[in-house]
Amino acid sequence: LNHDIKDSISQAIKLQEQNKENPFTNEMIGSLFFIDGDYKKASTNYNQSIDKFNKLNILTPINIKLSLAKSLMEINNEKSLKKSLLILEELIPIKYNSIYFWKLIGITANKLGIKSASMVAAAEEKILKKQNDKAKFFASKALKYKNIKTLYKMRALDIINFN
């Protein structure tokens, strides 16, 4: 659409009005708002997309959930960051082998001041980069936090015991 984001958003909204049940139009609109820097409208549209998938009894594509988590990170207030981290944690069983995914968890946890989760995310990144000694270092640092969540504690212990 000639690299005109505002016009692209208008065209996408017109397309959505033609087929209000299509969750992919909300995803597209969310992505356009994200590019335009309006993260609140982006997250609203990603949420609407997820709601439509749920209403259709169709599993929401993971990339839409990741997009929602990223837009919530960009809103950058405590409520949105907590929601973002929750979404990312729900995706761990699926996206555990992605350095970028662990980087998102680390950034979000760090912004929330959850150092233990941030350290485990760094350890997971190091494991994926085949830097096992550095991974064990970060995992052992994470275990020193008394408030470490069970999810992260288990992952840190697995990393430390990894050969």
Side-chain angles (χ1 to χ4, degrees):
L1 296 162
N2 298 326
H3 304 286
D4 182 348
I5 297 298
K6 302 283 187 207
D7 186 50
S8 297
I9 292 169
S10 297
Q11 294 297 323
I13 290 171
K14 287 178 187 173
L15 176 66
Q16 180 194 35
E17 290 168 359
Q18 295 171 11
N19 186 358
K20 294 182 187 282
E21 304 304 311
N22 186 343
F24 291 106
T25 54
N26 285 97
E27 177 198 11
M28 179 174 51
I29 293 167
S31 296
L32 290 169
F33 276 124
F34 189 92
I35 291 166
D36 196 40
D38 192 335
Y39 305 114
K40 286 183 180 180
K41 285 185 180 177
S43 65
T44 297
N45 276 279
Y46 292 135
N47 271 317
Q48 289 172 348
S49 177
I50 291 168
D51 290 345
K52 288 178 183 180
F53 276 108
N54 290 339
K55 191 175 181 180
L56 294 168
N57 290 321
I58 299 173
L59 215 58
T60 303
I62 292 164
N63 64 316
I64 296 174
K65 290 182 179 182
L66 276 174
S67 295
L68 174 58
K70 289 189 321 187
S71 65
L72 290 167
M73 283 175 66
E74 293 295 332
I75 293 171
N76 201 24
N77 63 39
E78 187 174 0
K79 183 180 177 184
S80 65
L81 289 169
K82 283 181 177 180
K83 184 168 181 171
S84 177
L85 186 59
L86 184 65
I87 292 166
L88 293 169
E89 288 173 346
E90 289 173 1
L91 296 176
I92 288 174
I94 302 161
K95 296 295 288 178
Y96 65 90
N97 61 348
S98 165
I99 292 170
Y100 177 67
F101 173 74
W102 285 109
K103 191 168 289 303
L104 291 176
I105 288 179
I107 291 168
T108 307
N110 201 40
K111 286 181 177 184
L112 286 167
I114 307 171
K115 299 294 182 198
S116 56
S118 181
M119 292 288 176
V120 171
E124 292 283 1
E125 285 182 55
K126 298 302 179 192
I127 283 286
L128 291 170
K129 292 178 180 178
K130 309 287 188 226
Q131 298 171 345
N132 295 347
D133 289 341
K134 289 180 182 178
K136 289 179 182 191
F137 170 77
F138 284 111
S140 65
K141 283 186 82 165
L143 289 170
K144 291 180 181 173
Y145 290 92
K146 294 189 183 346
N147 63 345
I148 188 169
K149 285 173 70 174
T150 304
L151 166 71
Y152 295 108
K153 185 175 186 176
M154 289 173 34
R155 294 196 78 85
L157 288 169
D158 283 348
I159 290 168
I160 287 173
N161 294 318
F162 184 73
N163 289 325

